[in-house]
Amino acid sequence: MTIKKHVDKDAQTSSNRSEAVIHTGDLERGLGYSLRRALMSATKDYERIMNPLEIRPAQYAALILVRNNPGFSQSAISQALGIQRANFVSLLDELEELGWVERRSSQKDRRSFALYLTKQGETLMKRAVLVHAEAEKAMAQRLGAHDSKLLLQLLHKFADAI
Amino acid sequence: MTIKKHVDKDAQTSSNRSEAVIHTGDLERGLGYSLRRALMSATKDYERIMNPLEIRPAQYAALILVRNNPGFSQSAISQALGIQRANFVSLLDELEELGWVERRSSQKDRRSFALYLTKQGETLMKRAVLVHAEAEKAMAQRLGAHDSKLLLQLLHKFADAI
DNA sequence: TATTGTTATACTCTATAACTATA
DNA sequence: TATAGTTATAGAGTATAACAATA
């Protein structure tokens, strides 16, 4: 950094103004920022509770979609996840190397693969779904049943209205 | 990849099952996933409208906090942003090189810097706040005034309840 | 001893462009 | 020509550990 520094005799630090509080008002009135903060907060619950399973959010989402939609292609699943199919390749590689998901080459269209959970994957997901439900329960308990359902509805209304 | 592939004669592809639809139900019932999708969706509005200004969301948040809290330290601002102070260093470096923010060394505590917008930063932010308000307006219009206010409240209740 | 700013490093998620093999 | 999967690459955001200067 080659920029000159001025000296400030009125700096607001915790040492000279212990009562000083940061004003975030303008930011917290925004949906974008508030969504980001809420997601960061939700991620903490996810990590705390899902930690023993060592399944990242993106992996869990992919596993759920393959489980609920066996035989679909990588393009179909990645599109449903809202990610680029290019980014889904390495994610799938991981899940396949972990022995949870299987790519089966399709007869009808030899360009594509049909995706399935393996036996191990099925076994894992039986447990993962239960643990994940605990994480969701922890989040829902922050708001109570009524408001967490309401939040869910509003989030979908928001995301679908684009 | 060294894993054997089976052949699947029942692959669910768009070519042989054009009516086939992916079932995401289990995911969309989750707050974590729904928050992530909503944020991704919100980011599109932000990028579309803020694009000409070339200010990223993290930069905008930092600029707003420095503007509203002149003279505070890097630690104070980064804590209010919910990010690590280590990650705030390069963000600030950018903003300083762009000529929008100034680090002034403090007399009272020579370890820390007091942060201020520059004249250029003030000028920029007058415009940026207006453009950002347009982005927020676009998001709010997805839900209508009542529901967007409700969503905002629920997001804060959720994030603050950790 | 504790805190401020910093560097270094790594991981996760996302995006784009271009390639190949099939269709 | 178009599509499915892939590779390569880059950019953001996040996290942790460790260090020097200062308190």
Side-chain angles (χ1 to χ4, degrees), chain A residues 67-84:
Chain A
R67 188 192 202 217
N68 289 358
N69 305 276
F72 275 79
S73 68
Q74 296 181 200
S75 289
I77 298 290
S78 58
Q79 189 184 352
L81 286 170
I83 64 176
Q84 306 294 317

Side-chain angles (χ1 to χ4, degrees), chain A residues 92-131:
Chain A
L92 248 191
D93 288 348
E94 290 171 6
L95 297 177
E96 212 174 20
E97 271 158 44
L98 287 162
W100 296 339
V101 172
E102 190 185 1
R103 282 172 167 109
R104 294 191 204 160
S105 45
S106 159
Q107 284 185 332
K108 310 207 171 184
D109 186 340
R110 285 156 57 222
R111 293 172 302 181
S112 74
F113 295 109
L115 304 180
Y116 294 91
L117 291 195
T118 61
K119 275 273 173 238
Q120 282 178 72
E122 296 281 8
T123 304
L124 169 87
M125 286 306 286
K126 273 179 197 138
R127 180 162 164 242
V129 163
L130 295 178
V131 178

Side-chain angles (χ1 to χ4, degrees), chain A residues 1 3-13 15-17 20-42 44-45 60-62 64-65 67-73 76-77 79-83 93 96-97 102-109 112-114 116 132 136 139-140 142-144 147-148 150-152 154-162, chain B residues 1 3-13 15-17 20-42 44-45 60-62 64-65 67-73 76-77 79-83 93 96-97 102-109 112-114 116 132 136 139-140 142-144 147-148 150-152 154-162:
Chain A
M1 226 164 310
I3 301 167
K4 275 183 283 181
K5 302 288 191 311
H6 297 193
V7 172
D8 182 4
K9 28 188 175 175
D10 268 336
Q12 318 281 315
T13 63
S15 33
N16 64 4
R17 276 186 109 205
V21 172
I22 296 263
H23 300 107
T24 55
D26 292 340
L27 277 180
E28 298 190 340
R29 256 169 255 132
L31 272 175
Y33 184 78
S34 301
L35 279 167
R36 179 183 144 262
R37 293 300 293 260
L39 177 59
M40 285 177 66
S41 170
K44 284 178 188 165
D45 270 346
Y60 183 79
I64 285 287
L65 281 203
R67 188 192 202 217
N68 289 358
N69 305 276
F72 275 79
S73 68
I77 298 290
Q79 189 184 352
L81 286 170
I83 64 176
D93 288 348
E96 212 174 20
E97 271 158 44
E102 190 185 1
R103 282 172 167 109
R104 294 191 204 160
S105 45
S106 159
Q107 284 185 332
K108 310 207 171 184
D109 186 340
S112 74
F113 295 109
Y116 294 91
H132 187 261
E136 285 296 336
M139 295 182 213
R142 301 192 198 185
L143 298 178
D147 279 0
S148 65
L150 188 53
L151 174 55
L152 208 51
L154 289 171
L155 290 172
H156 289 143
K157 184 180 172 189
F158 178 83
D160 293 345
I162 197 164
Chain B
M1 222 168 312
I3 299 167
K4 274 185 287 181
K5 301 291 191 313
H6 295 195
V7 173
D8 183 3
K9 29 186 176 175
D10 269 335
Q12 319 279 316
T13 64
S15 33
N16 64 6
R17 277 187 107 206
V21 173
I22 295 263
H23 300 107
T24 55
D26 291 340
L27 278 180
E28 298 191 340
R29 254 170 258 131
L31 273 175
Y33 184 78
S34 301
L35 280 166
R36 180 182 142 263
R37 293 299 294 259
L39 177 59
M40 286 176 66
S41 170
K44 285 178 188 165
D45 270 347
Y60 183 78
I64 286 286
L65 282 203
R67 187 192 204 218
N68 290 357
N69 305 276
F72 274 79
S73 68
I77 299 290
Q79 189 184 352
L81 286 171
I83 65 176
D93 288 348
E96 214 175 19
E97 273 158 43
E102 190 186 359
R103 283 171 167 110
R104 295 192 203 157
S105 45
S106 160
Q107 286 185 331
K108 311 208 172 186
D109 185 341
S112 74
F113 295 109
Y116 294 91
H132 187 261
E136 285 295 334
M139 295 182 212
R142 300 191 199 186
L143 299 177
D147 279 1
S148 66
L150 187 53
L151 175 54
L152 207 52
L154 290 171
L155 290 172
H156 290 143
K157 184 179 174 191
F158 179 83
D160 293 345
I162 197 164

